[in-house]
Amino acid sequence: MAPYPTIYRAFADHVARQPNKALFELPDGRTVSYRETAEIAHRIAARLLADGVAPGDRVAMQVPKSPEAIALYLATLQIGGVFLPLNTAYTGAEMRYFLGDAQPRVLVCAPDRHGDYADVQEDLVVETLGESGDGTLLRDEDRHEEIFAADAADPAAILYTSGTTGRSKGAVLTHGNLAANCEALLEAWQYTGDDRLIHALPIFHIHGLFVAANMTLAAGASMHYLPKFDTEAIVELMPHATVLMGVPTFYTRLLKSPRLTAEHCAAMRLFVSGSAPLLASDHEAFAARTGHAILERYGMTETGMNTTNPYEGGPRKPGTVGKSLPGTEIRVVDRETGQSLPDGEVGIVEVRGPNVFSGYWQMPEKTAAEFRPDGFFITGDMGRIDDDGYLCIVGRDKDLVISGGYNIYPKEIEELLDSHPKVLESAVIGVPHPEFGETVVAVVVPTPGEQPQDRELLDYVAGDLARFKQPRAVRVVDALPRNVMGKVQKAELRKRYANLFDGVDA
Ligand code: MLC
Ligand code: AMP
């Protein structure tokens, strides 16, 4: 029987067919071909095997974006390991949780962070990889070319996601999840080997890794590979590219460049937005400036991509996320009964299909709680189906803040604030922000007799929380609004502070 066609095998086919084609085009003019990427991956594969990685073992990565980091992802898939990418902004405290929970065999970190992790866990091999491929990971010349025969159901990656309760949960995605979702997206967006993607997203989340990079690897396309978002660098690349994928903040920022015009974008065929709601006004402004209707799609870590506005054959409607991808089913149900609601009514969005993850890492009860008996996954997003059958995401049932496409879990920040001696209790909310969509505000009730200063609370959380999670404003209040059940009314707080960032320069 032919082996399951994984993302790695699709990449390997392109290595065989078009070895000299550029996979990465870098800002300094260098290119890295398909063959060169495979060679780096084979060296990393040999090193990981020497470190003792067996099929099913986790390989964690917290490194700056580089072609070698993608080769590390490929090498992990090649040998049957489970890839665990982690945000470079995570502090030591955050990392200790992920490492303790996922128990990886190897952690690959930036050379300057080696000291932070060298003794963190027994049996953890710590390798280093710098921005230019330096470090211990690529020290040896040994190569390993054999491909582990992964099945669709074998785990390929774990990505941590915020949950409604408790700490972050590791979503286990299988080779089948990645391959099926990638295939559906290639078809939906007509993405081919002729495409040249502007890749400016981080590669530790599904948007940058499983949408942008996987599609490029599987189609045999090329990517202009930027270390991070940079308005002018992206505008500069547009005449040499065909597709851009980004979070809404990308588009808010791009609209500020006077160079963004229809003539300048003439070579581009597609702009995609996702990970957070795109403002209808940005969609319209972008169309007016460039002639391109941004294609908005909807997904999440546990499910990959679920819905998309049409590439062709229908309008791309601002404020909607389109229809389900081929092979994926979407329904909107009543939260309590789980019954499907008529079109037009707002309920919880549920998803079923080959894109939906296999479960949370070592959390069978939490996994079971988020699936219906008929296999639909409860997303925690609230939506409705409009008259044209398009899904509109209207809010979130889960307590989550999305800032610039990064998910922030209020509970984690509240627990930290509550541990401060001058804090009796706290509520962390997301409020509208002109650039990041939402931003974090901490509402704090002091311990009787205390008057905590904003600065001391912010300094207190700074050591343990990645910068993007740190509150951008603190409000000290006498009491939190509660309902009759005693539950903090976050909606009331969100209303109260809704205008806090009005007029902040986006
Ligand atoms: C950076 N900062 C942020 C932030 N990003 N703060 C809040 N929210 C964010 N998203 C901080 C920096 O630490 C810095 O802090 C200050 O804000 C300004 O930094 P910057 O240099 O302007 O930020 P930049 O590096 O340009 O980053 C902004 C961004 C980036 C929007 C380009 O956050 C980004 O690439 N986001 C994409 C996230 C993503 O890939 N999400 C997909 C998740 S998958 P200071 O104060 O120290 O200066 C998913 C599923 C799906 O959701 O459907 O796709
Ligand atoms: P994550 O857990 O990081 O995968 O984030 C997934 C969440 O991002 C989803 O559950 C949605 O709440 C949100 N999201 C993703 N895409 C969109 C979109 N196009 N519009 C609105 N929300 C979105």
Side-chain angles (χ1 to χ4, degrees):
M1 211 174 70
Y4 181 77
T6 58
I7 295 290
Y8 185 85
R9 285 190 190 275
F11 160 73
D13 285 348
H14 294 299
V15 174
R17 263 192 253 137
Q18 46 176 27
N20 298 322
K21 176 166 180 173
L23 170 54
F24 299 94
E25 301 192 36
L26 302 173
D28 63 6
R30 269 188 317 132
T31 60
V32 184
S33 68
Y34 271 81
R35 180 177 45 77
E36 287 164 331
T37 307
E39 280 168 8
I40 302 167
H42 294 158
R43 282 170 61 201
I44 297 175
R47 181 88 192 173
L48 294 177
L49 290 170
D51 288 337
V53 175
D57 282 351
R58 277 74 58 211
V59 175
M61 170 185 97
Q62 188 194 33
V63 300
K65 197 173 165 184
S66 69
E68 288 78 6
I70 293 285
L72 167 57
Y73 161 58
L74 287 165
T76 304
L77 298 183
Q78 184 200 334
I79 63 170
V82 180
F83 191 60
L84 168 55
L86 293 158
N87 194 326
T88 45
Y90 287 147
T91 62
E94 290 164 318
M95 286 293 287
R96 272 193 296 282
Y97 170 75
F98 296 121
L99 297 175
D101 190 59
Q103 294 287 314
R105 172 111 285 269
V106 175
L107 164 68
V108 182
C109 66
D112 62 356
R113 292 198 74 172
H114 184 264
D116 299 350
Y117 305 124
D119 301 316
V120 84
Q121 217 160 279
E122 229 184 306
D123 295 339
L124 175 71
V125 181
V126 181
E127 299 276 8
T128 59
L129 177 65
E131 257 159 303
S132 48
D134 50 310
T136 58
L137 191 66
L138 280 159
R139 210 170 41 191
D140 299 337
E141 291 297 328
D142 296 350
R143 278 147 207 255
H144 177 85
E145 295 195 12
E146 195 188 323
I147 306 174
F148 173 77
D151 266 338
D154 286 333
I158 296 181
L159 276 91
Y160 276 84
T161 172
S162 14
T164 38
T165 53
R167 296 296 304 256
S168 275
K169 299 173 284 192
V172 181
L173 292 148
T174 64
H175 285 273
N177 295 146
L178 304 190
N181 206 221
C182 183
E183 199 183 311
L185 290 169
L186 293 175
E187 182 188 327
W189 299 344
Q190 300 185 15
Y191 195 88
T192 71
D194 293 332
D195 275 307
R196 293 183 308 283
L197 174 75
I198 302 177
H199 192 304
L201 286 160
I203 54 168
F204 40 71
H205 281 308
I206 62 160
H207 196 166
L209 192 61
F210 298 153
V211 184
N214 273 2
M215 288 176 71
T216 304
L217 295 165
S222 300
M223 49 191 166
H224 293 284
Y225 193 69
L226 297 174
K228 65 189 284 271
F229 178 88
D230 175 336
T231 305
E232 288 311 310
I234 290 178
V235 172
E236 190 73 38
L237 284 169
M238 284 179 182
H240 315 285
T242 58
V243 178
L244 173 69
M245 298 181 192
V247 297
T249 303
F250 278 28
Y251 295 101
T252 310
R253 289 186 179 180
L254 282 169
L255 276 165
K256 282 195 226 125
S257 172
R259 293 167 69 203
L260 186 81
T261 59
E263 300 73 52
H264 191 76
C265 295
M268 294 289 292
R269 71 170 182 91
L270 178 63
F271 292 89
V272 181
S273 177
S275 307
L278 177 71
L279 287 174
S281 55
D282 278 354
H283 186 284
E284 282 147 13
F286 201 87
R289 283 275 288 285
T290 65
H292 283 278
I294 298 171
L295 181 153
E296 186 167 7
R297 70 10 170 223
Y298 158 67
M300 62 191 300
T301 303
E302 288 93 330
T303 64
M305 299 302 104
N306 298 315
T307 68
T308 178
N309 268 278
Y311 179 70
E312 58 182 19
R316 297 180 197 164
K317 289 174 44 172
T320 79
V321 294
K323 297 186 182 179
S324 55
L325 280 161
T328 297
E329 296 164 84
I330 287 281
R331 69 183 183 196
V332 173
V333 305
D334 178 272
R335 184 198 333 190
E336 305 308 330
T337 64
Q339 292 300 311
S340 278
L341 292 171
D343 287 357
E345 282 188 31
V346 172
I348 300 284
V349 179
E350 299 189 345
V351 190
R352 184 167 70 178
N355 52 314
V356 177
F357 76 138
S358 60
Y360 293 112
W361 172 249
Q362 291 183 336
M363 289 184 175
E365 286 96 30
K366 288 217 161 106
T367 304
E370 308 219 4
F371 279 91
R372 301 280 182 195
D374 60 2
F376 271 86
F377 174 67
I378 307 164
T379 63
D381 289 313
M382 294 175 30
R384 69 179 164 80
I385 308 283
D386 77 4
D387 292 345
D388 298 319
Y390 285 42
L391 178 67
C392 311
I393 303 292
V394 299
R396 289 187 284 273
D397 188 44
K398 52 195 173 188
D399 191 13
L400 177 73
V401 181
I402 306 185
S403 167
Y406 283 144
N407 279 8
I408 301 168
Y409 176 34
K411 185 99 196 255
E412 184 184 0
I413 307 169
E414 289 161 2
E415 279 173 2
L416 206 56
L417 284 168
D418 293 352
S419 70
H420 191 283
K422 292 188 183 173
V423 175
L424 182 66
E425 60 172 353
S426 62
V428 167
I429 53 168
V431 303
H433 186 277
E435 180 168 18
F436 289 126
E438 290 180 332
T439 198
V440 177
V441 172
V443 186
V444 169
V445 179
T447 310
E450 297 288 359
Q451 283 185 319
Q453 300 301 304
D454 296 4
R455 194 65 269 155
E456 66 182 312
L457 296 181
L458 292 174
D459 287 347
Y460 180 73
V461 298
D464 285 345
L465 283 182
R467 178 76 190 109
F468 70 88
K469 296 183 194 168
Q470 296 171 23
R472 294 302 156 116
V474 178
R475 286 294 176 268
V476 178
V477 297
D478 293 338
L480 296 174
R482 292 181 184 277
N483 65 12
V484 283
M485 312 286 285
K487 196 167 174 261
V488 175
Q489 289 173 304
K490 288 202 167 178
E492 160 60 27
L493 289 174
R494 280 193 286 268
K495 218 185 301 162
R496 196 185 295 172
Y497 298 111
N499 302 322
L500 214 53
F501 291 88
D502 277 6
V504 169
D505 187 20

